[in-house]
Amino acid sequence: MDGIYLLLGTNMGDKFLQLKIAKRQINEQIGAIVKQSSIYKTAAWGEEDQDSFLNQVVKVQSKLGPLKILDKIAIIEAAMGRERKGKWKERIIDIDILYYHNQVIATEKLHIPHKELQNRNFALAPLAEIASGEIHPVFQKTQKELHEQCTDQLEVIMLPPEHS
């Protein structure tokens, strides 16, 4: 993997606005967004009795290390009003680090590559769109291959370009 890839997700309020605000904050606090996927609409994962999500992957250029980026993400999420209500609950914004270049990190606080990436179409579809040939540093498969082999059955719908 060449680059830092973040997954943005929201299923509360004006979802398009939440993504726009998150991207502006990432640009200001983490680094320049150099590439972004289309926006995808997806049913909620895990706890399905909630509104659908909008997801988008962005590639960021940053001089910050992965733990500093994680800290900045927490600041952005809190400033946007995110309340941590539990796993798979609704959220105004969720930002996950999918990749930090080719680094593999496994600590209590941080897993890179994201440890569930290969199991989630809502992350793989936008990632495969903008980084299809990039290799997962653990599985040694491209993002396209991971997406094609993913067994996640949740429908992922790419929205038209005017939404991105």
Side-chain angles (χ1 to χ4, degrees):
M1 281 309 283
D2 178 34
I4 302 165
Y5 290 88
L6 307 178
L7 172 67
L8 287 59
T10 177
N11 76 334
M12 294 176 66
D14 183 337
K15 298 175 206 175
F16 293 103
L17 180 60
Q18 305 306 352
L19 292 176
K20 184 177 181 178
I21 292 169
K23 288 185 287 187
R24 185 173 61 238
Q25 290 300 309
I26 289 166
N27 268 309
E28 291 174 5
Q29 297 191 44
I30 296 173
I33 294 175
V34 295
K35 202 171 197 182
Q36 65 182 14
S37 73
S38 300
I39 295 173
Y40 290 76
K41 182 179 177 182
T42 312
W45 171 274
E47 193 168 309
E48 298 170 12
D49 187 24
Q50 56 183 307
D51 202 8
S52 62
F53 274 80
L54 293 183
N55 293 105
Q56 186 173 34
V57 169
V58 296
K59 181 179 182 181
V60 179
Q61 282 184 339
S62 179
K63 294 181 180 181
L64 301 177
L67 288 173
K68 189 66 174 174
I69 290 174
L70 188 63
D71 290 342
K72 293 287 188 180
I73 285 171
I75 291 167
I76 293 167
E77 289 177 339
M80 290 183 65
R82 168 135 188 217
E83 296 176 20
R84 296 198 179 266
K85 300 176 183 177
K87 197 172 188 178
W88 300 325
K89 298 290 185 186
E90 64 184 7
R91 53 202 68 184
I92 199 155
I93 193 67
D94 184 34
I95 304 170
D96 291 325
I97 303 172
L98 299 178
Y99 291 107
Y100 187 91
H101 304 289
N102 281 322
Q103 287 194 22
V104 177
I105 301 169
T107 68
E108 247 183 75
K109 190 173 182 179
L110 183 61
H111 284 265
I112 297 176
H114 190 285
K115 62 183 175 180
E116 292 296 325
L117 175 61
Q118 69 280 358
N119 301 318
R120 296 182 174 165
N121 273 332
F122 66 84
L124 288 169
L127 188 58
E129 178 190 342
I130 65 170
S132 65
E134 294 282 354
I135 306 291
H136 190 290
V138 175
F139 298 124
Q140 295 301 305
K141 294 181 179 182
T142 66
Q143 304 314 296
K144 182 180 179 188
E145 289 170 327
L146 289 173
H147 185 225
E148 289 170 346
Q149 295 169 9
C150 184
T151 59
D152 177 7
Q153 298 297 310
L154 281 182
E155 185 176 36
V156 177
I157 302 165
M158 180 192 290
L159 298 181
E162 62 266 15
H163 293 293
S164 295

